[in-house]
Amino acid sequence: MKIEISSLEVLTTHGVLPEEKVNPQPFVFDISLEADCEEAALRDDLSKTVNYSQVCALVQNVATARTYNLIEALARECAFSILENFERVRSVEVKVSKPKAPVKAQFGNISVSYYAERNSVYISLGSSMGDREKTIKAALSKLSAMRGIKLLRTSSMIKTAPVGGVAQNEFVNCAAELDCFLSPRALLDKIHTVEAHLGRVRSRRWDDRPIDIDIIFFGDKVIAEEGLAVPHPHYASRAFVTLPLKELCPEKICPLTHKAIKDM
């Protein structure tokens, strides 16, 4: 179900110029939400939907809590705050207009739009160096502490033999489900940051490593980009990936093969 809030005006101070940071001007917000509100419609129950009055109050608070140089940053902050505070919201688009922007030209309006969506993401984690279970738990903790990522569930940890003919040590592996409203590329960047913090050095392929984190599924998206392929192209042939996934999400349907994980 879509909920739309149009022309929410907030008098506040945002902009690059010094005078914009002290002299309030109007900013206009248009907010479009996709949310699970079917039960609210059936029961006529406010508690089962997204309270648009609270959404308006949240956006007003975000818009007046601090000063942003760019309305791009303001729109992003509003979108993230909505997703953080309203779990029923699946996606949000926030348009921020600046009708009185200090531009030396005649114009009707200047605006930017920011879109973000909530996805269920499944990742695979492995470690073959040091305290392997402790490192995996540290990786999950670091990821969950990052904005836009929430750890929902993890599988059991299993021990597996190394593959690829390079690594010598036994691996510990598990899978985890994340609630994520970062983009796939942004999540990958966060994963690389966590791996680096925990001592991952990318040298020889298949070598022993303190931590390895792969995105297996990102919602039902199919992505083929430089350095990013989702679903992970080799996951189905790797028991150290599929066994934890069968525990965690046996009914999950792969968007490429259209097979359930339990049947792999």
Side-chain angles (χ1 to χ4, degrees), residues 10 22 25 50 97 128-129 142 151 160 166 173 192 214 252:
V10 182
V22 294
Q25 61 177 300
V50 178
S97 298
S128 67
M129 297 172 63
K142 288 179 180 293
L151 177 63
T160 61
V166 179
N173 295 93
H192 287 167
D214 289 319
K252 170 71 179 176

Side-chain angles (χ1 to χ4, degrees), residues 141-150 190-191 193-194 197:
S141 178
K142 288 179 180 293
L143 279 173
S144 191
M146 293 177 168
R147 193 174 191 197
I149 305 171
K150 180 181 179 181
K190 298 293 186 184
I191 285 173
T193 297
V194 168
H197 283 172

Side-chain angles (χ1 to χ4, degrees), residues 163 205-206 212 214 232 234-244:
V163 298
R205 191 181 184 192
W206 305 111
D212 184 22
D214 289 319
H232 191 283
H234 307 298
Y235 85 92
S237 63
R238 297 176 175 176
F240 62 85
V241 176
T242 57
L243 286 176

Side-chain angles (χ1 to χ4, degrees), residues 71 90 92 121 142 144 150 169 191 210:
I71 54 176
R90 307 308 307 168
V92 57
V121 176
K142 288 179 180 293
S144 191
K150 180 181 179 181
N169 301 329
I191 285 173

Side-chain angles (χ1 to χ4, degrees), residues 42-108:
L42 288 172
R43 297 187 179 187
D44 196 20
D45 185 347
L46 177 61
S47 69
K48 303 298 182 181
T49 187
V50 178
N51 188 321
Y52 48 78
S53 177
Q54 293 178 357
V55 174
C56 290
L58 176 63
V59 170
Q60 289 171 324
N61 288 337
V62 170
T64 56
R66 55 164 287 193
T67 296
Y68 294 89
N69 289 326
L70 303 177
I71 54 176
E72 290 90 334
L74 175 58
R76 181 182 187 274
E77 180 62 29
C78 288
F80 272 38
S81 295
I82 289 170
L83 287 169
E84 287 170 337
N85 285 276
F86 298 93
E87 291 188 355
R88 289 184 182 275
V89 174
R90 307 308 307 168
S91 68
V92 57
E93 184 170 9
V94 178
K95 177 182 176 182
V96 181
S97 298
K98 193 174 181 180
K100 296 188 181 299
V103 177
K104 293 181 180 179
Q106 283 192 331
F107 65 94

Side-chain angles (χ1 to χ4, degrees), residues 6-260:
S6 301
S7 302
L8 174 64
E9 185 171 320
V10 182
L11 195 66
T12 186
T13 53
H14 302 291
V16 175
L17 300 178
E19 57 269 25
E20 292 185 286
K21 298 182 186 302
V22 294
N23 298 323
Q25 61 177 300
F27 292 79
V28 181
F29 297 82
D30 294 295
I31 305 156
S32 180
L33 311 172
E34 289 283 353
D36 179 10
C37 301
E38 182 65 19
E39 189 175 1
L42 288 172
R43 297 187 179 187
D44 196 20
D45 185 347
L46 177 61
S47 69
K48 303 298 182 181
T49 187
V50 178
N51 188 321
Y52 48 78
S53 177
Q54 293 178 357
V55 174
C56 290
L58 176 63
V59 170
Q60 289 171 324
N61 288 337
V62 170
T64 56
R66 55 164 287 193
T67 296
Y68 294 89
N69 289 326
L70 303 177
I71 54 176
E72 290 90 334
L74 175 58
R76 181 182 187 274
E77 180 62 29
C78 288
F80 272 38
S81 295
I82 289 170
L83 287 169
E84 287 170 337
N85 285 276
F86 298 93
E87 291 188 355
R88 289 184 182 275
V89 174
R90 307 308 307 168
S91 68
V92 57
E93 184 170 9
V94 178
K95 177 182 176 182
V96 181
S97 298
K98 193 174 181 180
K100 296 188 181 299
V103 177
K104 293 181 180 179
Q106 283 192 331
F107 65 94
N109 189 29
I110 291 176
S111 66
V112 300
S113 295
Y114 189 92
Y115 174 83
E117 64 181 11
R118 190 186 306 277
N119 281 282
S120 180
V121 176
Y122 292 93
I123 61 174
S124 174
L125 302 95
S127 173
S128 67
M129 297 172 63
D131 189 331
R132 297 162 297 172
E133 291 193 11
K134 182 178 179 181
T135 302
I136 289 173
K137 289 176 181 178
L140 290 169
S141 178
K142 288 179 180 293
L143 279 173
S144 191
M146 293 177 168
R147 193 174 191 197
I149 305 171
K150 180 181 179 181
L151 177 63
L152 297 180
R153 297 182 298 147
T154 60
S155 72
S156 302
M157 294 197 188
I158 63 171
K159 294 181 179 180
T160 61
V163 298
V166 179
Q168 301 297 311
N169 301 329
E170 185 179 57
F171 274 76
V172 169
N173 295 93
C174 79
E177 181 185 6
L178 308 175
D179 178 34
C180 179
F181 46 86
L182 301 177
S183 69
R185 181 65 66 175
L187 175 60
L188 183 64
D189 289 343
K190 298 293 186 184
I191 285 173
H192 287 167
T193 297
V194 168
E195 290 179 326
H197 283 172
L198 293 173
R200 172 77 187 271
V201 177
R202 297 178 184 276
S203 52
R204 289 191 303 168
R205 191 181 184 192
W206 305 111
D207 205 355
D208 285 301
R209 67 213 75 169
I211 189 68
D212 184 22
I213 307 171
D214 289 319
I215 301 172
I216 307 302
F217 299 117
F218 197 104
D220 292 322
K221 297 183 185 302
V222 176
I223 305 168
E225 300 175 359
E226 182 67 30
L228 178 62
V230 179
H232 191 283
H234 307 298
Y235 85 92
S237 63
R238 297 176 175 176
F240 62 85
V241 176
T242 57
L243 286 176
L245 285 176
K246 286 179 181 180
E247 176 189 335
L248 197 63
C249 55
E251 304 297 331
K252 170 71 179 176
I253 302 297
C254 174
L256 276 179
T257 65
H258 306 293
K259 293 182 179 179

